[in-house]
Amino acid sequence: MLHVIVFRGMVVFRERKRQRVKKFWQPILLESIVSVPLRVPRLKKSDAYEFLTLWNNLHESLRDNRLEKLNEAAYMAGAEIAARRLMKNKNVRKRLMSVKALGNLRDEESWEMLERLVGEVNATLSLTAARALMQIDTEKAIKIILPLVSVRTDWAREALSTMFKKVGADAISLPLSKAVIAACRTDLLTPDADALGQHAPRLIYLMRRAHPRFVTYVVRYVLLTMTNVEAIAAALKVYDDPAILPAVRQLLSDQRWEIRVNAANAIGRTGTEQDEKFLVGALSDKEWWVRYRSAQALASLPSVNAEKLENYAAAQPDNFARDILHQVLAERWPA
Amino acid sequence: MTLIDFIVAAQWGFLLFFVCINGGYLITIFLAFLNLPGYLQHQVLRYKLPQAPIDFMPPISLLVLAYNEGPVVVSTIRSLLQLDYPTVEIVVVNDGSTDKTLEVMREEFKLVEFPEAFRYRLGHKPVRAVYQSTIYSQLRVIDKENGGSKADASNAGINAARFSLFCPLDADTILQPDSLKLLVQPFLENPDTVAVGGTVRIVNGCQVRSGDLTHRGLPKNLLVMFQIVEYLRAFLFARVGFSAMKALPLISGAFGLFHKESVIAVGGYKQDALGEDMELVMRLHRHFRLHGKPYRITFVADAACWTEVPESLSGLRRQRIRWQRGLMESVMKNRELLFNRKSGLLGWFAIPFMFIFEGFGAGMEAVGFLFIIASYALGLMSIDAFVAFLMLAIGVGLLQSIAAVLLEEMTFNTFPKIKQLLWLMFAAVAENFGYRQLISLWRMVGLYKWLFKYKSKWGEMARTASWTGKALDAAIFKKQIALLYSLQSRAAGTPFLRKKYNWLFKSESRWGKDVDKSSRADKTSE
């Protein structure tokens, strides 16, 4: 019970300290956004964590053109030294906050420390370090990170995608495309049936952050060479070029429904009037999702309107096809 | 063997039982203290910094199950519409309500009938109609015939869900705005995840306005305070501990997130199960473990929902008896998992622990104490040893409760005022003197009813929902109408008001969330 009371005391103490640091540093940091002050007080060692939390928070709420000034003020306060010191702390919370700060500061001197941290078992720490490296030197960081993407399955795909989005298509398109092709080859050459197709899908998924011409090239390559469901489904998800439509149409009659459903979606994005007959055929698919996505794809074709869809529904001999068309009609053009 | 030999042997047996049950609890406490603060350290960037872009959060179908939920369903839906999550659809399953649940929703959300190509992938009573809101495109209502069980309504909701993840909710559940974002994390981190559970907190004593939890408070009702401590133990220790062992046997029916295709693959919710939530999770474990498929069922402690708990002894009694029967049924239906070489710590620790110690524990405890008393009466045990054992038993109970409050303080700090903390500590101590024994007694009743296969019915209930502004108004209104009705009845003639406002009096549910402070509290059941 005493422990509970003591703990409450510590919570109150920490909160007061946070408020004190905030009260002292917030005006200085806000001022530095407008113009960097001539003198910035040195950061106390004991206030490092609270300061970095405040600084990171401000940094991530601002637009790019004011970040430089905020960085300059942080360097003047000695924040990079405090962050490097905090990175060696055992407390994961403090380490994460310091890694984040070093990334935001684009602190090149911390490169080696951060690179070592990318290899950490702890996924949150290693991914945060990877992000920091990307912020410091994108080109150099990509060479370190891309080979790890298919290996570090504990790195959330969505987190990687967000990271690549921030970096921008110019930086990632070429190296990522090369990595996908290499992973496809590895998957094709692997003698282990269980491991087949394990490397490529994660990378293909990230292609949505690349320039369209690279995406087209990679999708075409995957559709031609790969048989793995996940790889093909991932390629169809990022596909966005009518030039490959004939190959996608063929996939509407694939044996695996996961591929058929993604093919229907893909045709919905880029299809033409020619695709109507393929999609109408898929309305009688035995899998509900294929029927639903085909109906949606049909409705989204530029050549189709409500009246045409009603005519298709009236002409359907199959009840399932008719029902799904009625549902999509009601969704798309509510009464 | 003489009687004395038998009593001595029984004493040793009881001592072994005592060591095992408390050892088990201590293991979960140890694992919780080891894992939870560490997990929260990893969440620091999420909590302390502006949110990262969320364009890849997978869409979620929220299934709201409603049977005669007229007074609360609108407030619940409004709260879900305010959730901080990119894409959700809300599927309300109206399970043949006899009050005006459907009419209230129709009016409030401007529902129109929708020609949905409904798929019956899981069995349930027929769907009468599907409605779509003309104000909120993400809201649909499935109006079906009453199936007599929560499982039946849940299965209909799963069939109607369009997204690959679904989250079943009770009609009185309040979600924290960020809870879905937290609950979905394991699905993003590990594609093998099939189910994730969140923490259930108690809303009694809090204030809710327009579906938002505006004040976190403690209730004045001591029975609810005891349940708060009990929930802290259950969610911070048992769930976190079992999850750390990769052996989480239960995800609360009030708040969890499931991979739809995995649930459909195992046949959905079983309609004859009393503890359908636990039975489903155990069946998922059984399916994946025994087939050797990779999967993950885990628990996210900081994803929380708030729900109402019974405020009366009768309601609590019905709930606990049902839980006990649900536990025993779930284990027996999935007994293949017990001590199976493929079932890991789940089959070798978590389920046996729950079956033996949670299932039969109450009975064994009672018998054990009888033997201790008999030993003392027969002079086989000294008064010092007797008192020492009693103190030890109470001390271990105290340790668990206070440790739960400590862990709560170290991690979430849900109740920020010092006065609230002191009340919580008082409840943690006081619950060891009477409350726990009462719960054990009801567990024994549940065990007895399960053993002798008493026919089960769903406990009727009426919600107090005193935490919602609207429900508060409704409760006052209800009382006024009741008063007018009684005056009318006395004055003879047809009670027109009663007829007109009949739906207000019919807010009972058969899904057994036994919350009852109002007039229909004792219409039971077991």
Side-chain angles (χ1 to χ4, degrees), chain B residues 100-356:
Chain B
K100 300 212 169 179
T101 301
L102 185 62
E103 282 74 5
V104 170
M105 287 190 288
R106 245 186 189 162
E107 177 81 9
E108 193 76 21
F109 301 109
K110 307 283 178 251
L111 300 179
V112 291
E113 210 165 326
F114 181 77
E116 181 151 323
F118 199 87
R119 290 184 299 168
Y120 286 90
R121 297 177 78 190
L122 296 171
H124 56 80
K125 289 277 180 184
V127 169
R128 293 194 284 229
V130 178
Y131 296 90
Q132 167 79 52
S133 166
T134 50
I135 313 171
Y136 304 104
S137 60
Q138 69 271 43
L139 173 63
R140 277 183 300 150
V141 174
I142 312 298
D143 182 32
K144 66 180 275 289
E145 287 176 15
N146 181 262
S149 70
K150 192 173 169 180
D152 193 78
S154 302
N155 285 346
I158 296 169
N159 281 342
R162 288 181 183 162
F163 300 138
S164 63
L165 300 178
F166 74 88
C167 174
L169 298 164
D170 289 333
D172 63 341
T173 300
I174 304 290
L175 291 188
Q176 282 184 193
D178 63 346
S179 47
L180 278 184
K181 277 186 188 171
L182 294 166
L183 204 61
V184 85
Q185 289 307 314
F187 286 97
L188 301 177
E189 285 158 12
N190 185 342
D192 293 331
T193 305
V194 295
V196 178
T199 301
V200 178
R201 293 185 179 276
I202 294 174
V203 79
N204 308 47
C206 301
Q207 274 176 16
V208 177
R209 288 275 177 272
S210 311
D212 255 351
L213 192 79
T214 51
H215 170 71
R216 292 173 181 193
L218 286 174
K220 287 180 181 152
N221 185 324
L222 206 56
L223 197 63
V224 180
M225 289 275 283
F226 293 154
Q227 289 178 77
I228 291 178
V229 176
E230 201 182 9
Y231 272 51
L232 287 181
R233 275 202 312 268
F235 285 93
L236 296 185
F237 289 161
R239 303 283 210 281
V240 173
F242 285 141
S243 182
M245 294 180 208
K246 297 182 180 165
L248 185 68
L250 167 66
I251 287 174
S252 167
F255 189 41
L257 191 59
F258 294 84
H259 181 241
K260 189 174 74 179
E261 290 305 323
S262 301
V263 172
I264 289 173
V266 300
Y269 288 94
K270 285 280 174 249
Q271 301 185 8
D272 57 345
L274 265 176
E276 72 290 330
D277 43 4
M278 183 181 221
E279 198 282 325
L280 173 68
V281 175
M282 284 202 186
R283 195 147 31 88
L284 281 168
H285 276 297
R286 179 158 61 101
H287 175 80
F288 284 95
R289 288 221 182 226
L290 303 189
H291 288 91
K293 293 179 185 169
Y295 79 108
R296 186 183 179 209
I297 293 178
T298 190
F299 176 72
V300 179
D302 48 350
C305 81
W306 296 75
T307 192
E308 203 175 348
V309 295
E311 290 189 356
S312 74
L313 282 172
S314 59
L316 188 64
R317 182 184 135 267
R318 285 199 301 276
Q319 185 193 56
R320 295 314 161 95
I321 291 173
R322 199 182 67 249
W323 282 5
Q324 185 70 7
R325 297 178 71 176
L327 163 72
M328 302 311 280
E329 265 184 23
S330 303
V331 175
M332 288 316 288
K333 280 186 176 170
N334 296 283
R335 56 185 175 273
E336 268 178 87
L337 278 170
L338 278 168
F339 305 114
N340 189 307
R341 67 186 169 83
K342 289 182 181 173
S343 59
L345 277 173
L346 179 84
W348 289 86
F349 180 75
I351 295 180
F353 183 80
M354 293 189 75
F355 188 61
I356 298 167

Side-chain angles (χ1 to χ4, degrees), chain B residues 464-480:
Chain B
T464 59
S466 52
W467 34 272
T468 66
K470 193 158 183 181
L472 197 65
D473 297 342
I476 295 164
F477 187 46
K478 203 174 185 178
K479 276 184 188 167
Q480 289 171 345

Side-chain angles (χ1 to χ4, degrees), chain A residues 15-76:
Chain A
E15 181 56 23
R16 283 192 186 151
K17 187 181 171 194
R18 196 181 68 82
Q19 291 296 342
R20 180 179 54 76
V21 173
K22 190 178 172 187
K23 198 176 164 190
F24 180 78
W25 281 102
Q26 198 169 37
I28 300 170
L29 293 176
L30 288 175
E31 194 193 330
S32 72
I33 293 168
V34 186
S35 64
V36 183
L38 291 174
R39 280 184 60 196
V40 175
R42 292 299 285 180
L43 176 62
K44 280 187 202 166
K45 199 175 159 184
S46 57
D47 293 347
Y49 173 70
E50 285 76 18
F51 172 85
L52 292 178
T53 307
L54 179 70
W55 185 83
N56 273 329
N57 214 314
L58 202 57
H59 197 280
E60 298 197 353
S61 328
L62 289 176
R63 290 186 179 199
D64 285 345
N65 53 356
R66 288 183 290 180
L67 295 178
E68 285 307 317
K69 288 174 185 164
L70 196 64
N71 283 6
E72 211 174 313
Y75 274 114
M76 284 168 80

Side-chain angles (χ1 to χ4, degrees), chain A residues 1 5 7-8 49 56-57 91-93 122 124 156 158 161-162 165 205 208-209 288-289 327 330-331, chain B residues 41-42 44 48-50 53 55-56 114-117 119 162 188 402 409-410 413 415-417 425:
Chain A
M1 279 168 105
I5 305 279
F7 208 88
R8 172 54 65 101
Y49 173 70
N56 273 329
N57 214 314
N91 188 313
V92 177
R93 185 189 293 137
N122 183 321
T124 318
E158 288 69 22
S161 181
T162 308
K165 186 185 176 185
Y205 178 84
R208 65 182 64 204
R209 297 305 186 199
W288 187 91
W289 274 108
Q327 176 175 332
E331 277 172 20
Chain B
Q41 281 199 5
H42 285 83
V44 66
K48 300 271 179 176
L49 300 182
D55 48 352
F56 282 119
F114 181 77
E116 181 151 323
R119 290 184 299 168
R162 288 181 183 162
L188 301 177
I402 296 288
E409 189 62 19
M410 283 169 70
N413 202 228
F415 302 104
K417 292 180 184 165
M425 286 208 294

Side-chain angles (χ1 to χ4, degrees), chain A residues 133-151:
Chain A
L133 289 182
M134 284 284 220
Q135 284 174 294
I136 296 168
D137 186 340
T138 308
E139 207 177 315
K140 210 167 130 189
I142 279 180
K143 286 177 192 156
I144 299 167
I145 292 161
L146 273 181
L148 293 173
V149 169
S150 48
V151 185

Side-chain angles (χ1 to χ4, degrees), chain A residues 55-56 75 79-81 83-84 87 97-108 110 113-114 132 135-136:
Chain A
W55 185 83
N56 273 329
Y75 274 114
E80 83 288 6
I81 300 165
R84 280 182 224 141
M87 229 171 100
M97 200 54 83
S98 63
V99 171
K100 192 84 185 163
L102 290 169
N104 285 338
L105 279 166
R106 296 187 171 82
D107 185 51
E108 287 177 11
S110 312
M113 283 170 86
L114 290 168
Q135 284 174 294
I136 296 168

